[in-house]
Amino acid sequence: MELQLSMVVLEVGDLEASIRFYRRLGLDLPDPDPKRPMVIHRMGSGVSLLLMKGFAPAYDPAWTPPSGGYSQMLEFYVGEDAAVDSTFDDLVAAGYHGRMAPAQTVGPYAAMVDDPDGNVILLTSDEAGSSEGS
């Protein structure tokens, strides 16, 4: 069997705040079950995003939240270059930290925004991934 990435799990500090952010980004997240502090969204690619509160500290006594920077980015293709601009503008206007304004990088047209837990969300144009892309 070929190894597959099936899920990205984010330990979050405030589940409701994270749900608001990812819904604003465009994910159709369900409301959490009051008995389970988590939500999951399966994307068309087959990869799921799981937001949960309390799992890491409950099962890993050495776990501490990251501080002083970030070690990963979650990349979301949002559409054409104009969609990168409008998504970035919408999230920043809603109060989320804009880490990098939309710009042409050495790769795709991209922008970076922090989610409520400081995870860096890379917003990119899917034009770079198409065979006709820039």
Side-chain angles (χ1 to χ4, degrees):
M1 180 176 105
E2 180 183 350
L3 185 64
Q4 296 289 319
L5 177 64
S6 65
M7 186 177 300
V8 173
V9 180
L10 297 179
E11 177 71 41
V12 302
D14 181 334
L15 185 59
E16 292 301 323
S18 292
I19 289 170
R20 281 192 303 276
F21 174 85
Y22 286 97
R23 283 179 176 164
R24 187 165 205 109
L25 179 61
L27 296 181
D28 185 20
L29 292 174
D31 290 329
D33 181 330
K35 298 176 194 155
R36 299 184 71 203
M38 54 83 68
V39 295
I40 189 167
H41 175 76
R42 187 173 181 100
M43 298 182 199
S45 65
V47 175
S48 295
L49 176 65
L50 176 68
L51 306 174
M52 61 184 351
K53 180 171 175 52
F55 183 88
Y59 294 99
D60 181 358
W63 181 83
T64 59
S67 64
Y70 57 94
S71 60
Q72 75 284 330
M73 290 186 278
L74 301 179
E75 182 174 3
F76 289 89
Y77 294 133
V78 295
E80 298 178 354
D81 292 356
V84 173
D85 295 337
S86 64
T87 302
F88 177 84
D89 291 345
D90 178 64
L91 291 169
V92 170
Y96 299 105
H97 177 252
R99 185 170 288 276
M100 181 187 90
Q104 181 62 53
T105 68
V106 295
Y109 187 76
M112 291 190 283
V113 179
D114 290 355
D115 80 358
D117 291 285
N119 296 302
V120 176
I121 306 306
L122 182 62
L123 308 169
T124 59
S125 165
D126 57 8
E127 292 173 2
S130 74
S131 60
E132 300 169 16
S134 53

